[in-house]
Amino acid sequence: MPPETMQDDYLYQPCDLLPPVGENLMTHLFHNPHEANEKAITYLRSPKKRKQKLAICQQRGTNIGWGIHLVEGWAVTKLWLSAFAVFSCSFVFAVAWSVLKHDVQGAFGVADWFVGLATLGLGSLQAVSQGE
């Protein structure tokens, strides 16, 4: 979407969703393009130039235009935060177990199982989401 400083140059309906039409509607229209029309909310929320048409620069061969760029895949930051949370919780568990039961080897053995199961779970989720 265009930056707010360029809002006067573009016409579109602001929206809190990203993508601005919602992923379910976008998927439906992708699979059924005959159901989309110019009065649909997807058209209204797509940025359009107000004062001039988007044209190709004759010297560079391109020109800057605004639209919607979708990136499909995993949210890497959330994965790292999840992995850090699992590691932190298992470490706290291991320290607590070793202090309470005076068994460092057993504590970290159980904590390693937590980390291993979390790794296996995240790997399984990724394999299932990619259809493998």
Side-chain angles (χ1 to χ4, degrees), residues 17-33 35 41-42 45 70:
L17 294 174
L18 190 64
V21 294
E23 63 184 85
N24 291 336
L25 178 60
M26 184 173 284
T27 303
H28 173 74
L29 293 175
F30 180 77
H31 292 294
N32 305 295
E35 293 184 19
I41 197 160
T42 54
R45 290 183 178 171
L70 302 176

Side-chain angles (χ1 to χ4, degrees), residues 16-73:
D16 293 337
L17 294 174
L18 190 64
V21 294
E23 63 184 85
N24 291 336
L25 178 60
M26 184 173 284
T27 303
H28 173 74
L29 293 175
F30 180 77
H31 292 294
N32 305 295
H34 59 278
E35 293 184 19
N37 61 34
E38 289 188 2
K39 300 205 183 339
I41 197 160
T42 54
Y43 181 75
L44 296 173
R45 290 183 178 171
S46 299
K48 295 165 281 304
K49 284 249 189 193
R50 282 182 188 240
K51 300 173 187 165
Q52 60 198 20
K53 287 188 174 184
L54 185 61
I56 296 175
C57 177
Q58 298 300 328
Q59 296 165 345
R60 290 182 285 157
T62 61
N63 199 2
I64 295 177
W66 294 98
I68 302 169
H69 178 77
L70 302 176
V71 178
E72 196 173 339

